[in-house]
Amino acid sequence: MRLTQRNCCRANAEVQQPGYDRGRLSRGMLHLGLGAFHRAHQALYTEAAIRAGDHRWGIVGVSLREPRTPRTLAAQDFLYSVTECEGAAATTRIVGAVVQAWYAPHALEEVLGAMADPGVAVVTSTVTEKGYCQHPSSADLDADHPDIRHDLAHPDTPRSTLGVLAAGLRRRPAGAPLSIVCCDNMAANGDTLRRLLAQYAALTDPALARRVRDDVAFPNTMVDRIVPAATPASRRDAQRRLGLRDEAAIVCEAFTQWVIEDRFAGPRPAWEAGGALLTGDVRPFQAMKLQLLNGTHSAIAYAGQLCGLQTVAEAMGDPLVGAFARGVMADLRATVQAPPGYDVAAYSEALLQRLRNAALDHRTAQIAADGTQKVPVRWLPALRASAGTERPWLERALAAWLHCLRSGRSDSGHALAFDDPGAPALAACLRDAHSDADAVRQALAHAPVFGSEPWPAPLADRLARHLAVLRAGGAAALLSS
Ligand code: CS2
């Protein structure tokens, strides 16, 4: 029996039900990027606000790239379950906050109509770092991106995130306040999205660019929850706990955090009801999380991929990779500015514990994707701030990534193919080089990822030595050297 509005009362008794009348929900929030992360994070905070009695915040979910999730949700009256796991303990709930789900290429009029609706006061987005068509090192618009070129030529039938936001805004009545809340793992994500959207709008419509800059609010946010992509096994496990068939089931960790800059143009859901922290300055929280969690994650992903370790928990259980992860985190901690009053040592220990959560099937290949977007945010700020001071483990992480791109093989010879549109250009620099030193020189000069400011020569020398060790003895040799 499938999860639907009619059947949800047949779920196992311990499953938490939405507990409110979904028929009373109106649409108040539109979300771009309907992946598992949104549905296990912002949607749950919104669910809490609705459960607290405010029925304005039904979510219209929009998928820009893949039709499967909207189709699956539509077949379930937009209901899905979230199972939160911590070791052997698990709790499952049914989420009712989503009231509509569209695949944008098939429902563009509806999507733009919803963005123009004054009743929709908040737009959130999780479209991944590359979904904003930016140059990762400068966070400026990549005006040559094929989707941006398409949208500039066809502004009324856009396919990029920026194109959809701009087209929706153009239709929106001037007096209707709007807040656009970026929930992707980028530094100053709200400020960045504002700048990118203003840069995009300025290419065709200066009045719209002014409106983006002056009228729309773009609060910065720090989002945190480990939500692995679903696998057939995780779906089976979730369905067993739910007692119903749920093709959109999510399994994630129990931990969740959302820190949001309190800067909205109009009304917003009371996300505090779900534990969100509304605060003045989110940037220290972002830096801490992006570097300590995401930075360590990426290091585990590349070392794990080289060593044939398929999940984060497996990699953490490996003595060499586990110790390496701890070392990378300590290196990152050396330059990170913690939010006032935060105990970074305790935060780091808690992170290591989360990374060891064996109940999650979090694939190293998933985290290894889009390195050319992630590395500039997660590792390079610490290396820049170190100004040549050695960060032994973080530098090994960078060498491991470059080695993955250069060799395209794990240590045992398996092909590594990370999903990363920016990688071929960097890999070509590495492969064209005639020595390890030349490979490093060419890579560090690849401005889209490493920026245009020169890097310290001693850092380049150390990276070249690491590449030589990797070529000769693989990750095991590098991590034990
Ligand atoms: C991960 C993140 O895939 C990745 O790059 O590092 O998705 C990570 O799991 C989340 O940011 C945790 O909040």
Side-chain angles (χ1 to χ4, degrees):
M1 186 183 289
R2 191 155 188 189
L3 171 60
T4 57
Q5 185 62 47
R6 183 141 153 224
N7 295 339
C8 71
C9 54
R10 312 262 184 113
N12 290 336
E14 62 278 11
V15 170
Q16 186 186 311
Q17 297 280 343
Y20 54 88
D21 177 3
R22 292 181 77 222
R24 289 181 55 204
L25 288 180
S26 52
R27 67 178 188 188
M29 172 174 156
L30 181 135
H31 180 79
L32 299 178
L34 201 45
F37 184 72
H38 166 71
R39 288 183 288 124
H41 190 273
Q42 305 99 61
L44 291 192
Y45 289 85
T46 309
E47 178 89 347
I50 296 169
R51 285 169 68 99
D54 189 348
H55 292 86
R56 283 176 298 170
W57 300 109
I59 301 172
V60 173
V62 177
S63 173
L64 296 169
R65 295 267 171 264
E66 63 98 32
R68 188 184 163 271
T69 306
R71 211 173 33 228
T72 305
L73 288 173
Q76 302 185 172
D77 300 321
F78 310 108
L79 292 168
Y80 61 95
S81 66
V82 174
T83 297
E84 301 172 350
C85 294
E86 178 72 64
T91 57
T92 299
R93 70 174 80 188
I94 296 171
V95 184
V98 178
V99 295
Q100 184 56 267
W102 286 314
Y103 172 50
H106 290 172
L108 198 54
E109 272 309 303
E110 288 86 341
V111 172
L112 299 180
M115 261 204 76
D117 175 0
V120 172
V122 173
V123 173
T124 50
S125 65
T126 51
V127 295
T128 78
E129 301 87 337
K130 69 173 176 248
Y132 299 96
C133 302
Q134 55 173 326
H135 289 297
S137 64
S138 63
D140 278 328
L141 178 68
D142 176 2
D144 285 331
H145 191 291
D147 289 350
I148 295 298
R149 285 161 68 141
H150 169 276
D151 291 359
L152 290 172
H154 309 95
D156 294 326
T157 51
R159 59 187 186 205
S160 73
T161 306
L162 299 180
V164 168
L165 288 174
L169 260 181
R170 258 196 307 273
R171 296 193 187 187
R172 194 172 171 86
L178 182 67
S179 305
I180 302 183
V181 187
C182 177
C183 300
D184 278 292
N185 285 319
M186 305 176 320
N189 51 5
D191 300 338
T192 301
L193 179 52
R194 162 188 277 132
R195 196 176 58 249
L196 289 167
L197 192 55
Q199 287 176 354
Y200 171 84
L203 294 175
T204 52
D205 185 345
L208 184 67
R210 243 188 331 274
R211 207 168 145 200
V212 167
R213 274 194 304 267
D214 300 341
D215 298 345
V216 181
F218 291 85
N220 292 301
T221 66
M222 182 271 250
V223 291
D224 192 6
R225 172 166 251 190
I226 295 175
V227 187
T231 62
S234 73
R235 222 171 267 140
R236 262 196 313 277
D237 181 41
Q239 295 185 145
R240 192 177 43 76
R241 293 180 192 280
L242 178 65
L244 293 169
R245 185 157 78 88
D246 175 7
E247 297 293 332
I250 297 171
V251 174
C252 63
E253 67 172 340
F255 180 91
T256 181
Q257 192 176 21
W258 197 8
V259 185
I260 310 165
E261 196 175 13
D262 200 356
R263 179 153 60 88
F264 284 76
R268 62 163 174 85
W271 287 316
E272 298 90 330
L277 174 66
L278 275 287
T279 179
D281 188 4
V282 171
R283 282 167 304 178
F285 288 94
Q286 282 184 326
M288 179 177 75
K289 188 267 174 173
L290 290 173
Q291 297 190 45
L292 300 188
L293 190 162
N294 297 109
T296 306
H297 243 172
S298 290
I300 293 168
Y302 299 117
Q305 283 286 298
L306 285 174
C307 297
L309 300 164
Q310 301 306 329
T311 70
V312 174
E314 216 184 301
M316 289 298 289
D318 177 271
L320 273 183
V321 180
F324 164 69
R326 189 174 271 279
V328 170
M329 200 180 277
D331 277 354
L332 289 162
R333 219 163 72 196
T335 56
V336 97
Q337 292 286 329
Y342 233 75
D343 179 349
V344 192
Y347 179 81
S348 305
E349 281 309 314
L351 282 184
L352 289 164
Q353 186 65 32
R354 289 169 62 197
L355 299 178
R356 286 192 284 262
N357 188 347
L360 300 181
D361 189 10
H362 201 187
R363 316 301 289 177
T364 48
Q366 183 188 348
I367 302 167
D370 293 329
T372 55
Q373 297 279 337
K374 293 173 179 174
V375 165
V377 172
R378 300 175 178 200
W379 296 347
L380 300 188
L383 290 177
R384 280 275 182 225
S386 300
T389 300
E390 184 171 4
R391 302 289 175 214
W393 300 108
L394 185 56
E395 292 172 14
R396 280 172 174 73
L398 182 54
W401 178 52
L402 297 178
H403 178 71
C404 287
L405 295 177
R406 187 189 197 187
S407 75
R409 307 241 151 231
S410 73
D411 291 348
S412 62
H414 285 102
L416 300 177
F418 306 142
D419 181 6
D420 181 358
L426 179 56
C429 300
L430 289 157
R431 288 178 190 156
D432 288 349
H434 50 74
S435 65
D436 294 320
D438 188 38
V440 169
R441 196 181 49 74
Q442 296 217 33
L444 294 184
H446 184 66
V449 174
F450 288 94
S452 37
E453 224 179 285
W455 289 87
L459 168 67
D461 293 344
R462 290 192 295 270
L463 289 173
R465 278 201 296 279
H466 293 333
L467 285 187
V469 174
L470 280 161
R471 272 193 308 107
L478 182 73
L479 302 191
S480 49
S481 68

